Amino acid sequence: MTELTVPFWLAGGWVADRSQLPDWLKSQHIQPRWIDEEIFLSSQAEPAAPLITPALFFQWPRALAAESQVLQQAAREIAGGERRMILLSVLHPEGCRLVVLCSPAAVGMYNLMPLAYVTDWLALPSAAQDSPVLSLLETVWARRERKVAQVKELSLLQPGKRPVKGETAFKSAAWVSPEHSAEGGIGAAQALVEALIAKKQGNALLAEYDERQQLFSCWIEAV
């Protein structure tokens, strides 16, 4: 059985045009040739051209998957040793969100300085949601032996108003929103990473519903 590793959140940013992707990587001290795979999300029907060689290239329609679902896929690939470095790119009308995840082996090999860990993740089918979302998150993460009271930054992407934290285990967590209003889980996760660094906090939690009301959640921890 393959020993799992904890993926690192290496870098994240925003460019006005996807064509700037190779230059952005270099600005983050990441050589494009280090990228094993790019996962590209776009609402455009036509296929996009790969910008990094020889990296594998996969394009997902944004309407078919929550961004958090794609984030979890990339994290699993790195945790299982299938990839050492994955680029996630999400095209929006006003620009492109970019994030790089990498393995501990890549950090050591290239002498990198990651920003955070993607410590754990889970997905719940819509049929499992028989309680308020914050209570549900508290229950399922407790089963993973995670102390929800340690979460200091929280991002929840769902239709409608945010739930009231009140006296839940999340009462000391601050709400964090993506930089751009149209962004989903990948942009929200970058905002959480930035909040952890700025406030010198330890733990953050991302939760996102997809169009079928499946819930995806990622636990992010400061390095």
Side-chain angles (χ1 to χ4, degrees), residues 6 8 13 16 21-23 33-34 43 49 72 87 95 99 106 132 139 142 152 160 167 188 204:
V6 178
F8 282 107
L21 189 159
D23 290 336
R33 60 185 171 81
W34 297 346
S43 57
Q72 290 186 16
L87 170 68
V99 161
T139 299
K152 300 303 179 184
E167 294 304 314

Side-chain angles (χ1 to χ4, degrees), residues 1 4 10 19 48 56 60 72 79 97 104 116 133 138 151 179 182 199 204 222:
M1 181 177 178
L4 298 181
L10 180 60
S19 63
L56 297 172
W60 287 53
Q72 290 186 16
R97 168 65 59 193
V133 60
E138 183 176 357
V151 171
E179 179 182 358
K199 300 179 184 179

Side-chain angles (χ1 to χ4, degrees), residues 39 41 60-77 88 101 121-124 157 184-186 206-218:
I39 304 177
L41 288 87
W60 287 53
R62 288 188 66 201
L64 296 183
E67 291 185 21
S68 294
Q69 180 181 0
V70 178
L71 172 61
Q72 290 186 16
Q73 173 190 323
R76 280 193 296 271
E77 290 179 11
L88 303 172
L101 302 184
W121 52 88
L122 54 82
L124 296 173
L157 304 178
I186 293 173
L206 167 67
E208 180 181 16
Y209 283 102
D210 69 3
E211 293 186 354
R212 293 174 293 178
Q213 289 302 293
Q214 296 179 106
L215 180 62
F216 298 89
S217 185
C218 287

Side-chain angles (χ1 to χ4, degrees), residues 134 147-156 162-176 192 195-196 199 201 203-206 219:
L134 295 184
K147 297 180 180 179
V148 178
Q150 294 178 345
V151 171
K152 300 303 179 184
E153 309 296 332
L154 174 65
S155 188
L156 172 62
R162 287 170 172 166
V164 177
K165 297 196 300 288
E167 294 304 314
T168 71
F170 295 99
K171 61 184 177 182
S172 63
W175 289 115
V176 177
L192 287 170
L196 288 178
K199 300 179 184 179
Q201 303 282 12
N203 297 278
L205 188 68
L206 167 67
W219 193 286

Side-chain angles (χ1 to χ4, degrees), residues 10-11 30 32 47 74 80 84 93 136 141 144 170 178 186 200:
L10 180 60
I30 300 169
R84 287 188 300 196
L136 177 62
W141 280 113
R144 296 285 187 95
F170 295 99
I186 293 173
K200 298 181 179 180

